[in-house]
């Protein structure tokens, strides 16, 4: 069964005006043309849509149902038509961007402002890297700024944004120290990023590589929780400059270099290949500009020794 949108519009006008003649006048066509359109629609459905024995015309139960559905179909068709016109100008209907939790504060507002110039509807989602990658696969997310994932897929495009080194965070009352991680852990509990997060996995992997076994004490799903626990003097953390920024740059925390071998993480923008044109690269470049003009200068003032701990990729 197929529906002609023009016929549905005629049907809806008859419903609104209550007669074939009034509908014909409103549409600027003849009454026989309206009657023929309604007859063709009823013949195609095999059902009566109007009770013609009463005035104004009354809808049958089938007609009432079709009126509900037809309103939705015609409205959707108008949206599609408008969206096609916008797309010809490079303007999209809807864009959904996933942001890793550790860069939400850094990017959300600026990227929302940028995307609002590119699409009618913009949605920004926070969450873990795995959830956003799954969202891209399932088409519930269009792009994701995440720390890893999809590096080896041939159906996704990837734009590198930055690389940052892991650092330590201590309560400001904790004396500056050059001790190793195992020794520090004996003096103060380690506050961890959730083992479900990419950051938590990176830290666990580094500790295993170093042969350091630190008991699990307290972990958080969000950099805000990690930073708050350290600021409260509960423990220390292995984190990154951007995670520290997400949690808040506070004088209650003393950031320090990571002793021994360092390790890093890389931030990417992922999107399905060949679906959003130049937009993924433009969003990645906008994120780099935000880092360069706003975030990194704040980090440099807060931890001057960490100037080389955040390396932004060139804008392309």
């Amino acid at each position: 069964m197929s529906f002609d949108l023009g016929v549905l519009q005629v049907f809806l006008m008859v419903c609104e005006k209550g007669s074939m003649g009034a509908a014909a006048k409103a549409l600027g066509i003849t009454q026989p043309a309206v009657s023929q359109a309604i007859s063709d629609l009823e013949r195609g459905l095999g059902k009566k849509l109007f009770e013609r024995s009463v005035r104004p015309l009354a809808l049958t139960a089938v007609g009432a149902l079709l009126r509900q559905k037809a309103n939705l179909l015609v409205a959707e068709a108008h949206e599609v038509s408008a969206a096609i016109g916008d797309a010809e100008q490079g303007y999209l209907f809807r864009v959904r961007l996933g942001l890793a939790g550790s860069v939400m504060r850094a990017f959300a507002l600026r990227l929302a402002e940028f995307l609002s110039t590119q699409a009618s509807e913009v949605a920004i989602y926070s969450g873990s890297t795995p959830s956003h990658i799954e969202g891209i696969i399932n088409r519930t997310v269009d792009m994701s700024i995440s720390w890893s994932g999809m590096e080896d897929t041939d159906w996704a495009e990837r734009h590198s944004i930055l690389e940052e080194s892991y650092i330590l965070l201590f309560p400001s009352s904790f004396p500056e120290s050059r001790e190793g991680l195992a020794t520090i852990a004996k003096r103060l509990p380690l506050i961890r990023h959730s083992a479900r997060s990419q950051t938590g996995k990176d830290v666990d992997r580094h500790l295993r590589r170093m042969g350091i076994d630190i008991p699990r004490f307290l972990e958080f799903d969000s950099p805000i929780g990690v930073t708050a626990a350290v600021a409260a003097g509960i423990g220390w953390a292995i984190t990154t400059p951007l995670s520290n920024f997400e949690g808040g740059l506070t004088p209650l925390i003393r950031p320090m270099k990571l002793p021994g071998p360092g390790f890093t993480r890389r931030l990417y923008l992922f999107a399905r290949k060949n679906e959003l044109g130049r937009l993924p690269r433009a969003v990645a470049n906008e994120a780099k500009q935000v880092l360069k003009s706003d975030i990194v200068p704040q980090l440099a003032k807060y931890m001057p020794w960490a100037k080389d701990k955040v390396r932004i990729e060139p804008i392309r």
Side-chain angles (χ1 to χ4, degrees):
M1 186 182 300
S2 60
F3 293 97
D4 183 292
L5 287 173
V7 172
L8 288 180
Q9 288 178 304
V10 171
F11 166 72
L12 290 173
M13 187 59 71
V14 174
C15 294
E16 181 182 331
K17 297 300 182 181
S19 73
M20 304 280 185
K25 186 175 182 180
L27 292 168
I29 58 177
T30 65
Q31 182 172 334
V34 171
S35 298
Q36 185 64 51
I38 298 301
S39 296
D40 289 345
L41 186 56
E42 289 180 322
R43 190 178 305 110
L45 290 169
K47 305 288 182 182
K48 285 178 59 178
L49 299 175
F50 294 100
E51 294 290 352
R52 291 173 169 79
S53 60
V54 298
R55 291 290 182 274
L57 291 175
L59 286 166
T60 64
V62 173
L65 175 64
L66 181 61
R67 184 180 190 180
Q68 289 180 333
K69 301 300 183 183
N71 272 314
L72 295 174
L73 287 170
V74 171
E76 185 69 20
H78 288 157
E79 284 189 6
V80 169
S81 178
I84 288 173
D86 288 339
E88 287 182 331
Q89 306 301 320
Y91 194 72
L92 300 173
F93 173 60
R94 179 188 296 116
V95 175
R96 299 159 297 179
L97 173 66
L99 287 180
S102 54
V103 295
M104 197 70 181
R105 181 169 169 241
F107 291 147
L109 182 58
R110 284 281 296 273
L111 292 186
E113 291 174 345
F114 174 75
L115 286 172
S116 67
T117 68
Q118 309 294 313
S120 301
E121 294 182 11
V122 177
I124 306 288
Y125 303 130
S126 181
S128 65
T129 293
S131 69
H132 290 153
I133 299 307
E134 182 179 348
I136 290 179
I137 294 171
N138 296 334
R139 295 183 176 276
T140 57
V141 172
D142 301 305
M143 295 180 286
S144 169
I145 293 183
S146 305
W147 293 106
S148 65
M150 301 205 304
E151 284 88 344
D152 301 319
T153 58
D154 57 4
W155 55 268
E157 60 179 291
R158 179 183 69 173
H159 303 275
S160 182
I161 296 174
L162 68 84
E163 181 181 32
E164 66 171 345
S165 300
Y166 278 81
I167 61 172
L168 303 182
L169 296 185
F170 292 102
S172 57
S173 58
F174 192 84
E176 192 162 348
S177 171
R178 296 184 179 276
E179 297 171 325
L181 300 181
T183 303
I184 294 171
K186 292 177 182 177
R187 299 176 56 192
L188 200 62
L190 175 62
I191 309 297
R192 295 176 184 264
H193 290 270
S194 169
R196 298 182 301 173
S197 69
Q198 188 61 44
T199 305
K201 292 175 182 176
D202 285 350
V203 171
D204 288 347
R205 191 180 301 116
H206 178 72
L207 293 176
R208 286 196 302 270
R209 188 166 56 241
M210 298 293 293
I212 301 173
D213 183 19
I214 300 177
R216 302 195 86 84
F217 165 63
L218 182 61
E219 65 180 59
F220 289 93
D221 227 356
S222 161
I224 296 173
V226 173
T227 303
V230 174
I234 296 173
W236 62 288
I238 304 173
T239 188
T240 69
L242 279 182
S243 287
N244 188 185
F245 180 85
E246 179 71 19
L249 306 181
T250 167
L252 297 175
I253 286 178
R254 182 200 302 275
M256 289 175 53
K257 294 180 181 179
L258 182 78
F263 63 115
T264 65
R265 65 177 183 176
R266 297 190 69 92
L267 186 67
Y268 301 97
L269 182 139
F270 296 104
R272 292 182 295 275
K273 192 177 290 184
N274 301 325
E275 290 195 10
L276 292 173
R278 299 177 182 177
L279 185 60
R281 182 181 295 277
V283 173
N285 284 337
E286 185 70 14
K288 295 172 192 176
Q289 187 59 49
V290 172
L291 288 165
K292 184 177 179 181
S293 62
D294 184 22
I295 310 305
V296 170
Q298 292 185 58
L299 289 171
K301 188 178 296 186
Y302 181 68
M303 50 181 92
W305 51 267
K307 188 180 298 185
D308 63 341
K309 301 302 180 185
V310 179
R311 294 169 290 284
I312 307 169
E313 293 289 339
I315 294 176
R316 302 181 187 283

